[in-house]
Amino acid sequence: MNTAPAIAISLCAVCLFLQPGGCEIVVNRYASRSTMILGFSWENCDGAGQPAVLKSLALSPDPITIPGDLKASAAGSTTVAFTSPLAVNLTLEKEVAGFWVKVPCMDNIGSCDYADACLLLDTAIPPGQDCPEPLHTYGIPCHCPFKAGDYTLPETDFYLPNVDLPYWLTNGNYRIKGVLGINGKELGCLKVTLSLHSN
């Protein structure tokens, strides 16, 4: 059983929003806070019109508490292989006084362009090293290339460790748009909305 690149990238989009450097450990220039994610929702930008489509993504509980336990399941499909360089373009917006304002890219958080998500995966999990659980148990790949096909991640328990957010990432409503592409061709697009509360 495998998981689609679209699933991995959708979760990575949230991770990149929360932590700079492709979900690496955040340095101590940020203040440590407990965080809650409320009202998480998602949708494909263009329905089923693109090669990569996320069919389902369920996260519980709501709110999601960090640090804390999380249940996640997902399914998706892609009609094309995902190979390097796999570009990821993220647009992060925050609601301010009823208007959506684009958050610039700062310290690899915000509206950032990543030239190759495959390299981010190789940085997080060195090639030749076993994929982390639960990926290893289900035989889910964690490096490019990802083959075309249908993919499913059954309901799985995760523990979310503490996240150190930058001081400027304040409480509020956010929306994230993530676009996948190879050589200028858009392969998939996902929109995520959530509310962030930290103390």
Side-chain angles (χ1 to χ4, degrees):
M1 189 176 296
N2 292 324
T3 184
I7 297 169
I9 298 301
S10 67
L11 295 175
C12 190
V14 177
C15 191
L16 287 168
F17 164 66
L18 292 174
Q19 290 186 294
C23 306
E24 295 173 359
I25 297 173
V26 180
V27 296
N28 60 12
R29 66 177 177 271
Y30 302 131
S32 180
R33 300 176 274 179
S34 62
T35 304
M36 288 196 330
I37 297 174
L38 302 93
F40 178 91
S41 65
W42 65 274
E43 64 177 326
N44 293 294
C45 303
D46 301 307
Q50 293 181 316
V53 177
L54 188 63
K55 296 179 178 178
S56 68
L57 174 62
L59 305 177
S60 63
D62 185 6
I64 299 166
T65 302
I66 304 173
D69 295 317
L70 172 72
K71 286 185 181 292
S73 62
S77 65
T78 177
T79 59
V80 297
F82 283 20
T83 59
S84 181
L86 179 63
V88 178
N89 300 315
L90 295 181
T91 302
L92 172 64
E93 296 177 304
K94 181 179 181 182
E95 188 176 18
V96 179
F99 297 94
W100 289 100
V101 178
K102 185 176 178 179
V103 177
C105 185
M106 293 185 287
D107 293 332
N108 284 322
I109 300 180
S111 300
C112 302
D113 295 331
Y114 301 91
D116 193 356
C118 297
L119 294 179
L120 291 178
L121 290 172
D122 288 346
T123 300
I125 307 165
Q129 179 178 317
D130 286 342
C131 293
E133 295 297 343
L135 305 184
H136 183 71
T137 294
Y138 294 119
I140 296 171
C142 55
H143 295 285
C144 296
F146 293 92
K147 295 179 181 179
D150 295 318
Y151 299 87
T152 303
L153 175 70
E155 185 174 80
T156 304
D157 293 320
F158 295 90
Y159 177 75
L160 300 175
N162 189 49
V163 174
D164 292 334
L165 296 175
Y167 69 91
W168 51 264
L169 196 58
T170 56
N171 295 344
N173 298 323
Y174 292 88
R175 61 187 186 188
I176 308 162
K177 180 180 178 180
V179 179
L180 290 175
I182 296 177
N183 298 324
K185 180 180 179 181
E186 189 172 313
L187 301 181
C189 178
L190 189 72
K191 294 179 181 177
V192 172
T193 59
L194 55 87
S195 294
L196 187 67
H197 180 76
S198 300
N199 53 30

